[in-house]
Amino acid sequence: MCGIAGWLDKNIDLTEKVGVLSEMSKTLSRRGPDENGMYIRHEAAFIHRRLAVIDKENGKQPMMAKYKNKVYCIVYNGELYNTAELRRNLAERGHRFKGNSDTEVVLKTYIEYGEKCCNMLNGIFAFAVYDITEKKLFLCRDKIGVKPLFFYEYKDGLIFSSEIKTMLKSGVVKPVITEESLYEVMFLGPARTPGNGIFKGVRELLPGECAVYKNSALKRNRYFKLRAKEHSDNEKQTIEKIRFLLTDAVERQLVSDVPLCFFLSGGLDSSIIVKTASMYYKKTKQGRIHTYSVEYKDNMKYFKKSLFQPNADVEFIGKMVNDADTVHHQIILDNTQLAQALFPSVEARDLPGMADIDSSLLLFCREIKDNYTVALSGECADELFGGYPWYHNKDILFQECFPWSASQKIRRSIIKENILPRGEEYVHQKYLDTVKQTESLPTDSKLTRRMREMFMLNFYWFMQCLLERKDRCSMFSGLEVRVPFCDYRLVEYAYNMPWELKAYNNREKGIVRKAFEDILPKEIAWRKKSPYPKTHNPVYMQAVTKLAKNALNKKGSLLNEIIKKQGVYDIMENPDNISSPWYGQLMKAPQILAYIAQLDYWFEKYSINLEIN
């Protein structure tokens, strides 16, 4: 994994912008701590920061290639999981390779197939190829949206990068937000509308989108969409297909020239990955795998069962460690440090995020990075296979809203009167825009159509928010995290799977449980869904209350132009009165206060200017 950026401008001589480009490069150093590279021409410049994972010697970037009197340059961030197949195909067509890096394979796949290369790539990636001869730039983001690619288009120029902070260093992109930006962060946040970069003029390629920039014009194209098809496999075939696709995805993602480890929560998803990998390692005589779990200081002392979090992870982690015979490491996070890490997690995202759900991951990844460069994680199974309560509760299922943020009441209660009057309308329209994109079949029942809509909502919203969190908080420490459940083949198969099969045995992720029950302990295979662990320690509530109060008491802050103090104090004084989370399943009083502190930090750290007509 790496950080990439580029700048094209027909009027500026970019060879005279080396200083600025170097400052832009520094903002990506956490994503790529191993090497940095730059290629500059009069009209174009490309930046690469490398986290070396495969073929350290021959994978340096920007990478150049000459073919049939044309010269190409690529900057690439990601991992390709069908490298061997593509390399064989290209070799048969006359291409020669200097090394074993997937970067070279991606570049030569583009050279051979042009824009059609997108559909041939299985992996998580964002890349740019510049055809120097034709002065044409090609941008591409992976089908699922695991890796980021932001861009800013202006008259006669274009800037792109893995992170927004990089573009801000150019001086062309300004830290300006608009009324629409406020609707995003106050009514949708920590989610954001697909493609919306929050800062004025900043956009992001959608999952499965590519673009061509030539003659000062950008043309975008969706090369991958969720398509409705008949599911022709019977129950037995479906179980076998799920088992094959996920096992194949895990095994493909074990390729690395640097140490590799695994996240383990004791839940179904991470346990499947850990057991599958452990079996593969033993079969190939690679020894025992290393697993990591996260816990909070004194958490069991204060743990409270809930509908969303019925039991703690510790017992189940122990069972899985014994079953898979792993070398396990438990990382215990201090609650005061958890609160302090809220601010670097804003810097990681360039936006306020999921509060301690972000900061805990950031601290967790920092600890892992001391020993490992690559990890595998069980992200996204819930979105694809109906793991959340909103898939199973009919009263929630058919509500015309985002189920993870069904009510804007708590948000409205902390916003000043006469500010953002269209908040509820804005959110509902975003919901409708997504639902309208859903493809279905004439034979679909009402329930089947709704499940497709829920899939789309989860795929383009909730899942993207979690993937953004995973990418930014891990790469902030230079840790690459791979997500086997995001294999596009598995996503396509899940989209068209009948609900009766997906919810096998009337259980969340039932079909996945059934497909892997023979390799897991029964209590793991059929354990009730439990979300990412959060802290229950009152020390954290005290810490974020103090941070929120400090933010509210700042004179002349942008926060106080927007936030109603009494609404926030009501949350502090009556934390148990919040009937539904701010976002998802876990963001209640402590996380709302943390979000407010993050919002204030973001305004100040990024020198945000508010522009409202």
Side-chain angles (χ1 to χ4, degrees), residues 70 120 177 187 206 266 318 364 461 481:
K70 281 191 175 186
M120 305 175 73
I177 63 171
F187 281 93
L206 297 171
F364 184 50
W461 287 85
V481 179

Side-chain angles (χ1 to χ4, degrees), residues 67 87 89-97 108-109 111-112:
Y67 190 74
R87 185 190 299 274
N89 172 276
L90 291 165
E92 289 171 0
R93 290 173 173 266
H95 291 272
R96 297 293 176 260
F97 296 88
K108 293 188 175 177
T109 303
I111 291 171
E112 179 67 30

